[in-house]
Amino acid sequence: MLVAVIVGCEVAFWVVLLAGLIARYPLRRPRLGAALLIAVPVVDLVLLAATMIDLRRGATATFAHGLAAAYLGFSVAFGHSMVRWADERFAHRFAGGPPPRRAPRYGMARARHEWREWGKGMIGWAVACAVLLAGIAVVGDGERTAELWAWTGRLSVVMAGWLVFWPVAYTVFPKRAPRGA
């Protein structure tokens, strides 16, 4: 059941975002578009409420509860930049805005970009771990929350891998532009 709520929230995120951008640009209703874009985080609150209600009602934490916390954390950390990414593309396509910014591809500019993205990932990790720990505290039963503890470890391993294979790798071995480019 909770997996369906997570999928529904992901779909709702993109539907509300798309509706806000369509209202803002093709329909030329900037106030309505802004209201819809401001409503995007409400989707996260729905998922948080569903997760905590499920745990409070006596459910044993499952993989889905941990996934919900991870989704929430990374949605908080990357949601704004995802909205900005989509907004730049809609503004360019429907309102004559400048071409969307692209991430740097080479050198230390790319390494700085990777460090910034990893920093956002760490914010997502911190929020997700806070939600996981809140779930553990709400339930108050170690046996029923073992999966939430496992998720803190999973997320930590993912963040360590991300650190090594992207920001550190691009810093130590910066990608160079092809010759003649």
Side-chain angles (χ1 to χ4, degrees):
M1 165 81 170
L2 194 57
V3 172
V5 174
I6 295 168
V7 170
C9 285
E10 178 67 10
V11 170
F13 172 88
W14 289 105
V15 167
V16 172
L17 175 60
L18 187 61
L21 294 172
I22 289 171
R24 189 174 196 174
Y25 295 111
L27 298 179
R28 301 198 192 296
R29 307 263 325 262
R31 281 190 176 153
L32 175 60
L36 287 166
L37 292 175
I38 288 171
V40 168
V42 172
V43 173
D44 293 339
L45 296 176
V46 168
L47 181 57
L48 179 62
T51 302
M52 290 304 170
I53 288 169
D54 191 40
L55 289 173
R56 289 287 290 166
R57 287 186 176 164
T60 297
T62 64
F63 184 86
H65 291 90
L67 181 61
Y71 174 85
L72 285 166
F74 288 90
S75 179
V76 167
F78 288 95
H80 180 73
S81 58
M82 290 171 68
V83 169
R84 186 177 61 239
W85 175 87
D87 188 59
E88 287 175 351
R89 278 142 186 82
F90 260 75
H92 177 66
R93 172 72 173 91
F94 296 107
R101 293 178 288 154
R102 298 184 80 178
R105 296 174 61 189
Y106 307 110
M108 290 313 291
R110 176 60 184 252
R112 282 189 298 278
H113 170 77
E114 294 298 336
W115 280 105
R116 264 191 312 279
E117 293 301 303
W118 183 77
K120 286 191 267 185
M122 285 303 296
I123 292 168
W125 172 86
V127 171
C129 286
V131 171
L132 290 166
L133 293 174
I136 291 166
V138 163
V139 172
D141 179 352
E143 288 183 28
R144 287 183 38 223
T145 58
E147 186 64 27
L148 301 182
W149 280 113
W151 265 93
T152 62
R154 287 182 191 118
L155 292 174
S156 298
V157 167
V158 167
M159 291 310 298
W162 186 353
L163 172 67
V164 170
F165 291 108
W166 279 273
V168 170
Y170 274 100
T171 300
V172 175
F173 306 106
K175 188 174 179 182
R176 300 189 196 295
R179 292 183 187 218

